Amino acid sequence: MAKKSKKQQGGGTPATVALTAAGVDHTVHSYEHDPAHPSYGEEAAEAMGVSPDRVFKTLVADVDGTLTVAVVPVSGTLDLKALAAAVGGKRAAMADPALAERTTGYVRGGISPLGQRKKLPTVLDESAGAHPTICVSAGRRGLEVELAPADLATLTKAVLAPIGRG
């Protein structure tokens, strides 16, 4: 069962600190992460009792040599061609996981689009706008943050585009 709180105890993660500093209304959901679960995003949706269409995963891709963040529903996959097009690029491929971790400051399965060590270009799948709130990683496995898609787009300076395949 997910627990809800406005602030994470102990100062929080860089993502929750960024949200609090920006004064953005959000809810933190924590759950017991199961390392054996095959999908971080699906595990989060199940644990919180939220539709997988409202839980978004944060993926890091290399678009023409530039690391780029893609935020798409866990119920689907990332369309790499659409991601490249959304940022004016030609080719996109998934980034090396170790490079993604070093650049964002987060571990795989806990990469948040918020509070990253290095600000990366971000693209949010346009389907996010169909929901009053969505959930994204709050910066570690077993921790999600729920917020309005418009707030996420504003804080990350995200481009909205159809980058998810369902």
Side-chain angles (χ1 to χ4, degrees):
M1 177 111 188
K3 296 177 188 169
K4 294 183 182 184
S5 67
K6 281 289 181 193
K7 291 183 185 172
Q8 187 62 19
Q9 308 236 354
T13 66
T16 60
V17 168
L19 285 166
T20 301
V24 171
D25 189 29
H26 65 281
T27 303
V28 173
H29 299 270
S30 64
Y31 59 91
E32 200 61 42
H33 166 61
D34 176 5
H37 201 288
S39 166
Y40 298 116
E42 288 175 11
E43 176 190 26
E46 291 166 11
M48 294 185 301
V50 174
S51 166
D53 293 342
R54 280 190 49 227
V55 179
F56 283 63
K57 56 190 169 188
T58 305
L59 304 171
V60 181
D62 180 322
V63 179
D64 298 336
T66 300
L67 289 182
T68 303
V69 173
V71 185
V72 296
V74 301
S75 59
T77 59
L78 172 61
D79 181 334
L80 288 166
K81 282 188 172 205
L83 175 64
V87 294
K90 292 184 178 161
R91 292 180 162 267
M94 294 308 297
D96 172 69
L99 178 60
E101 289 180 346
R102 277 194 313 274
T103 304
T104 64
Y106 294 118
V107 298
R108 194 169 151 254
I111 294 178
S112 177
L114 300 159
Q116 295 179 356
R117 183 177 290 151
K118 182 180 179 194
K119 191 96 172 124
L120 299 174
T122 301
V123 181
L124 175 60
D125 186 67
E126 67 182 9
S127 69
H131 309 286
T133 61
I134 60 170
C135 298
V136 296
S137 175
R140 73 170 185 253
R141 296 171 188 154
L143 196 66
E144 293 281 310
V145 65
E146 182 177 354
L147 73 165
D151 289 336
L152 177 63
T154 298
L155 286 174
T156 60
K157 296 181 172 47
V159 171
L160 270 80
I163 59 167
R165 282 190 286 199

